């Protein structure tokens, strides 16, 4: 028998009972639709969380002095020119930025607040964090002045043109003090940054902290996050003989990775419960399909069709029914996911506040990662094939004379 | 030439608990080209006898030989192949494949036999023509009357060029007109194609057409009449 005939028989057989086929395919389709949308939301929000965190905090990869990560003090900074001598140029890196980060007290009028002062290369930083897009008042920093978060601005009641005083401890314990005019107010989606971020140009920060030529980190953004470990390994080789080390964002922000994993597996449990329910529906169809056709299988065997051929015929039916259901689910979910991929759901009011309290941007982005779609297809296919074992065994154990009496 | 030979053929159901003897010590020889009816009251063992001759059921004792080959020693897979190439089946309730057209149903058996397309096409059309249902060949079973379906079933049974055709109560669901028409066609096939037919029946119209009538009672042959 040819493949075409098996397919013809399979296709026609599944339409023998149209109502049942539609019900089964719809239940499979619904499961796939729901799982795709759910996973797209999950992966989309993870991607956004990673993107936000990586861009604003660490980069995909960051070079530090070896002791820095355990003790984040200026004394554990390193020379930028020393790093440039090592030539860590890597084609996988899209943009790299030097940063000098430490803490300081910011004061304006009668208000004082602890802030994170980051010295940046304004041009490169704009490429990495799109910091220039976050300006809501004033202008993006060039050489002189400070940019502060909107929350900090509100707290200090300092706006563009006001001068803020910074006091801190600099490199090797020197006193650090300086006053800088506010040139721009930044609005970050991440509340922590909004309320505590202050940006100086790298030169100003080095001068303020007494750390000329030094940086605390050299953050890198990769073209492709999938190349994280390869790029880390390659750059690590170049740094082998130095006092510097390279870390990836997963090492630098393990709590983010753990949070994502926890949420991901929680979502998976939901999806598996859904698949379990749908699985029973599919099993019911297979049971009925086998039971009501026992007589027919008996006839086919008696006229000379071998059982393995009947099994192949039924396997085609199962596959077609499954593909049909999966197809329905994918066709239904794709345009919806595509729409929300380009138009993510934006929360407002209390919902937005709740998101921001947890440090998240108040939007629900969707992912178009192909894994969202083929994962569901593969899972449903595996479930169907597993449940398809029942009809296969029933056909193998078919007793012709009993079947003909059905 | 002897097509079917049974010796001391016996079938006992539930031998360990409450034994029911369905076929008891049957010796039978069917020659090529015969048009034989196995008759008897319900429960006399007609269907069981035909099932054992057709290799669908295993005898409790005795042997069945088809064309000199003993089928009792064959595996299930060998038996399926044997049935495909040697035996045509016609069942009481037609039992065509519902999703295939009349033509595809007839062709299906030759596909299983791996016959080439040209032969399949010619044979299918020839047989459907002889059965008088060529004009209905593109209809599915549900679109055919009972008589037409049974003709397609006979056409399917003949298509594989079997050594003989086993028909279990083939007219049980047909009206008088359809029965007579079917019997005429089968008699014609018996004559033209030299097809050997064995029926189980208690339909007097079939018995009247048969050239040989074997009567069973309580699993035993009580008469064997050639006409």
């Amino acid at each position: 028998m040819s493949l075409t005939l098996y397919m013809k028989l399979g296709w026609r057989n599944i339409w023998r009972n149209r109502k049942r086929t539609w019900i089964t395919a719809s239940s499979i389709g619904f499961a796939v639709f729901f799982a795709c949308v759910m996973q797209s939301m999950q992966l989309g929000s993870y991607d956004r969380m990673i993107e936000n965190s990586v861009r604003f905090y660490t980069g995909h990869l960051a070079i530090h002095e070896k002791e820095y990560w355990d003790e984040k003090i200026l004394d554990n900074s390193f020379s930028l020119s020393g790093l440039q001598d090592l030539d860590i140029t890597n084609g996988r890196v899209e943009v790299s930025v030097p940063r000098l980060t430490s803490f300081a007290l910011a004061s304006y009028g009668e208000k004082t607040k602890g802030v994170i002062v980051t010295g940046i290369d304004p041009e490169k930083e704009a490429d990495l964090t799109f910091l220039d897009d976050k300006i809501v008042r004033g202008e993006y920093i060039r050489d002189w002045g400070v940019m502060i978060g909107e929350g900090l601005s509100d707290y200090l009641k300092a706006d563009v043109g006001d001068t803020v005083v910074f006091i801190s401890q600099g490199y090797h314990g020197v006193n650090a003090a300086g006053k800088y005019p506010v040139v721009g107010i930044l609005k970050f989606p991440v509340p922590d940054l909004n309320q505590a971020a202050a940006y100086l140009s790298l030169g100003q920060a080095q001068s303020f902290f007494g750390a000329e030529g030094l940086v605390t980190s050299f953050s890198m953004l990769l073209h492709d996050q999938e190349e994280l470990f390869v790029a880390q390994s390659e750059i690590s080789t170049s740094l082998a003989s130095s006092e510097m080390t390279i870390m990836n964002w997963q090492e630098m922000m393990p709590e983010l990775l753990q949070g994502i994993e926890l949420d991901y597996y929680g979502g998976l449990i939901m999806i598996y419960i859904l698949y379990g329910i749908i699985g029973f529906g599919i099993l019911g169809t297979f049971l009925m399909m086998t039971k009501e056709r026992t007589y027919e299988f008996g006839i086919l065997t008696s006229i000379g069709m071998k059982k393995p051929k009947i099994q192949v015929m039924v396997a085609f039916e199962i596959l077609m029914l499954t593909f049909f259901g999966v197809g329905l689910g994918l066709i239904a979910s794709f345009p919806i996911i595509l729409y929300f991929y380009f138009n993510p759901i934006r929360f407002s009011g209390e919902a937005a506040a709740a998101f921001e309290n947890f440090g998240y941007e108040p939007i629900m982005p969707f992912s178009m990662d192909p894994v969202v779609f083929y994962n569901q297809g593969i899972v449903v296919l595996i479930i169907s094939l597993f449940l398809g074992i029942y009809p296969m065994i029933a056909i193998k154990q078919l007793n012709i004379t009993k079947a003909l009496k059905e | 030439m002897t097509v079917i030979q049974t010796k001391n053929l016996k079938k006992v159901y539930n031998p360990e608990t409450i034994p029911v003897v369905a076929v008891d010590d049957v010796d039978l020889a069917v020659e090529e080209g015969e048009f034989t009816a196995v008759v008897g009251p319900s429960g006399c063992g007609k269907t069981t006898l035909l099932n054992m001759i057709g290799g669908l059921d295993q005898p409790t004792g005795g042997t069945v030989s088809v064309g000199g080959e003993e089928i009792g020693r064959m595996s299930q897979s060998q038996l399926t192949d044997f049935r495909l190439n040697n035996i045509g089946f016609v069942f009481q309730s037609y039992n065509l494949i519902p999703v295939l057209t009349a033509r595809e149903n007839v062709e299906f058996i030759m596909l299983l036999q791996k016959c080439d397309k040209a032969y399949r096409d010619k044979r299918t059309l020839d047989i459907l023509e002889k059965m008088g249902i060529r004009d209905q060949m593109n209809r599915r079973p549900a679109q055919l009357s009972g008589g037409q379906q049974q003709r397609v079933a006979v056409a399917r049974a003949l298509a594989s060029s079997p050594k003989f055709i086993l028909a279990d109560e083939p007219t049980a669901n047909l009206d008088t007109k359809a029965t007579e028409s079917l019997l005429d066609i089968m008699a014609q096939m018996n004559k033209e194609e030299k097809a050997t037919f064995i029926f189980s029946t208690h339909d007097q119209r079939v018995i009247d057409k048969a050239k040989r009538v074997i009567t069973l009672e309580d699993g035993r042959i009580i008469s064997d009449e050639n006409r």
Side-chain angles (χ1 to χ4, degrees):
Chain A
M1 271 172 75
S2 68
L3 187 69
T4 321
L5 183 64
Y6 279 122
M7 290 178 74
K8 189 199 280 183
L9 281 169
W11 182 250
R12 288 183 185 177
N13 274 328
I14 64 172
W15 292 108
R16 279 165 71 174
N17 192 330
R18 285 172 186 271
K19 202 178 281 180
R20 190 177 64 203
T21 296
W22 274 113
I23 290 171
T24 309
S26 301
S27 66
I28 294 173
F30 172 75
V32 170
F33 170 81
F34 189 75
C36 280
V37 171
M38 200 167 143
Q39 198 160 50
S40 173
M41 282 163 63
Q42 270 191 309
L43 295 187
S45 59
Y46 300 155
D47 286 347
R48 183 58 68 108
M49 281 162 69
I50 293 168
E51 175 86 1
N52 280 346
S53 302
V54 160
R55 280 194 179 271
F56 290 122
Y57 295 111
T58 61
H60 285 123
L61 295 169
I63 294 171
H64 305 115
E65 200 276 338
K66 277 180 180 164
E67 305 292 322
Y68 180 78
W69 200 251
D70 293 330
E71 199 178 2
K72 294 185 187 68
I73 56 171
L74 284 172
D75 292 352
N76 290 331
S77 53
F78 62 94
S79 161
L80 188 58
S81 58
L83 179 64
Q84 283 157 355
D85 291 343
L86 288 172
D87 187 20
I88 56 154
T89 310
N90 189 296
R92 302 178 206 278
V93 177
E94 184 185 339
V95 58
S96 50
V97 298
R99 286 175 183 158
L100 180 67
T101 306
S102 190
F103 297 91
L105 279 175
S107 180
Y108 179 73
E110 293 182 354
K111 294 276 189 177
T112 301
K113 192 174 191 304
V115 296
I116 307 162
V117 175
T118 306
I120 57 167
D121 178 323
E123 275 185 31
K124 288 182 178 172
E125 196 69 32
D127 290 340
L128 177 68
T129 59
F130 307 125
L131 205 55
D132 48 345
D133 292 341
K134 306 285 187 288
I135 292 283
V136 287
R137 290 195 299 281
E139 59 183 30
Y140 189 61
I141 194 170
R142 294 177 196 280
D143 298 320
W144 184 245
V146 64
M147 298 185 298
I148 58 174
E150 193 179 37
L152 181 60
S153 163
D154 290 345
Y155 181 82
L156 294 176
K157 298 195 184 339
D159 213 327
V160 175
D162 296 332
T163 299
V164 179
V165 175
F166 289 95
I167 300 170
S168 183
Q169 187 179 53
Y171 186 61
H172 283 174
V174 300
N175 285 328
K179 54 179 187 178
Y180 304 94
V182 177
V183 294
I185 306 294
L186 301 160
K187 184 174 184 180
F188 295 104
V190 183
D192 285 352
L193 279 173
N194 228 19
Q195 286 156 17
Y199 289 90
L200 297 170
S201 67
L202 186 60
Q204 282 183 106
Q206 286 170 336
S207 174
F208 171 66
F209 288 118
E212 298 298 334
L214 300 178
V215 292
T216 49
S217 71
F218 189 76
S219 299
M220 287 168 277
L221 189 76
L222 301 178
H223 290 289
D224 184 359
Q225 129 94 7
E226 299 296 317
E227 294 180 332
L228 185 72
F229 298 108
V230 184
Q232 183 181 14
S233 169
E234 288 170 358
I235 297 170
S236 181
T237 308
S238 306
L239 298 175
S241 59
S242 73
E243 286 301 305
M244 286 162 271
T245 187
I246 184 164
M247 295 173 78
N248 63 49
W249 69 266
Q250 295 174 2
E251 294 166 322
M252 293 183 279
M253 296 184 285
E255 67 289 347
L256 176 64
L257 186 65
Q258 284 160 7
I260 286 173
E261 282 177 348
L262 198 66
D263 189 76
Y264 179 75
Y265 290 118
L268 271 191
I269 290 169
M270 285 293 294
I271 289 175
Y272 285 142
I273 290 171
L274 179 74
Y275 280 141
I277 295 166
I278 298 302
F280 280 108
I282 299 172
L283 179 64
T285 300
F286 289 174
L287 285 173
M288 281 190 285
M289 196 169 89
T290 310
K291 185 66 185 165
E292 74 183 18
R293 287 171 66 193
T294 303
Y295 181 72
E296 180 185 325
F297 295 152
I299 296 294
L300 288 172
T301 316
S302 64
I303 65 170
M305 190 172 182
K306 284 187 174 177
K307 287 178 181 176
K309 287 186 175 174
I310 300 175
Q311 287 172 321
V312 173
M313 182 182 80
V314 172
F316 267 95
E317 290 172 34
I318 288 170
L319 283 175
M320 283 178 174
L321 185 61
T322 307
F323 279 124
F324 183 58
V326 170
L328 282 181
L330 293 181
I331 288 169
S333 60
F334 184 81
I336 290 173
I337 291 173
L338 188 69
Y339 176 79
F340 284 115
Y341 175 73
F342 289 110
N343 305 283
I345 299 167
R346 291 192 178 276
F347 295 99
S348 58
E350 286 182 12
F355 267 80
E356 284 177 342
N357 283 341
F358 284 103
Y360 298 132
E361 201 175 358
I363 65 167
M364 181 63 76
F366 281 61
S367 171
M368 280 296 290
D369 190 330
V371 80
V372 167
F373 301 101
Y374 68 68
N375 256 5
Q376 313 316 322
I378 288 169
V379 169
V380 175
L381 192 66
I382 289 169
I383 291 172
S384 290
L385 290 179
F386 176 71
L387 297 174
I389 292 172
Y390 172 76
M392 297 302 127
I393 291 172
I395 293 166
K396 187 173 174 9
Q397 293 178 341
L398 185 84
N399 179 308
I400 304 177
T401 46
K402 279 185 185 169
L404 292 175
K405 285 176 190 166
E406 284 276 321
Chain B
M1 182 190 160
T2 304
V3 181
I4 302 161
Q5 177 93 52
T6 72
K7 281 185 181 167
N8 309 115
L9 193 63
K10 188 166 188 163
K11 180 69 184 179
V12 181
Y13 291 111
N14 312 318
E16 306 293 324
T17 53
I18 307 162
V20 177
V21 180
V23 173
D24 193 7
D25 210 19
V26 168
D27 288 325
L28 178 68
V30 177
E31 300 298 319
E32 188 179 10
E34 280 191 7
F35 202 66
T36 303
V38 178
V39 304
S42 292
C44 70
K46 300 187 296 288
T47 300
T48 305
L49 177 63
L50 260 61
N51 281 347
M52 287 192 289
I53 291 171
L56 300 177
D57 206 352
Q58 292 291 320
T60 311
T63 58
V64 178
S65 300
V66 174
E69 204 172 345
E70 196 184 321
I71 63 172
R73 292 177 185 168
M74 292 180 184
S75 67
Q76 284 301 316
S77 175
Q78 287 171 322
L79 269 175
T80 308
D81 269 341
F82 187 81
R83 284 196 298 271
L84 174 65
N85 295 309
N86 295 279
I87 310 171
F89 287 91
V90 179
F91 299 92
Q92 184 177 327
S93 45
Y94 328 132
N95 301 316
L96 299 171
I97 300 169
V99 295
L100 297 181
T101 62
R103 179 183 180 156
E104 288 168 337
N105 262 287
V106 176
E107 196 183 353
F108 183 74
I109 201 96
M110 289 181 279
L111 275 164
L112 292 174
Q113 287 179 315
K114 299 188 175 86
C115 298
D116 66 64
K117 189 171 185 323
Y119 173 79
R120 287 197 318 259
D121 287 346
K122 185 175 182 307
R123 178 87 176 141
T124 303
L125 295 178
D126 279 354
I127 292 180
L128 287 171
E129 181 75 49
K130 284 178 183 170
M131 302 301 290
I133 44 170
R134 189 169 165 169
D135 56 338
Q136 309 289 324
M137 69 180 183
N138 291 321
R139 293 190 173 191
R140 290 197 189 179
Q143 297 168 310
L144 299 172
S145 68
Q148 288 170 329
Q149 286 188 58
Q150 199 60 303
R151 285 196 216 181
V152 177
V154 174
R156 181 179 69 183
L158 282 167
S160 62
S161 308
K163 286 196 171 73
F164 62 94
I165 291 167
L166 289 176
D168 187 12
E169 308 267 8
T171 58
N173 292 336
L174 301 182
D175 60 26
T176 305
K177 196 177 167 191
T179 298
E180 280 179 6
S181 171
L182 184 75
L183 287 172
D184 286 344
I185 283 168
M186 288 201 289
Q188 190 187 340
M189 291 296 114
N190 172 249
K191 198 174 171 184
E192 286 177 8
E193 299 237 344
K194 300 272 183 276
T196 306
F197 280 87
I198 306 168
F199 308 93
S200 76
T201 186
H202 40 228
D203 185 334
Q204 192 55 47
R205 293 164 301 187
V206 181
I207 297 167
D208 290 345
K209 289 268 182 187
K211 293 174 189 168
R212 180 183 175 191
V213 178
I214 297 165
T215 309
L216 284 183
E217 197 173 282
D218 296 331
R220 287 176 169 272
I221 295 175
I222 57 164
S223 76
D224 188 348
E225 179 193 350
N226 277 303
R227 295 170 172 180

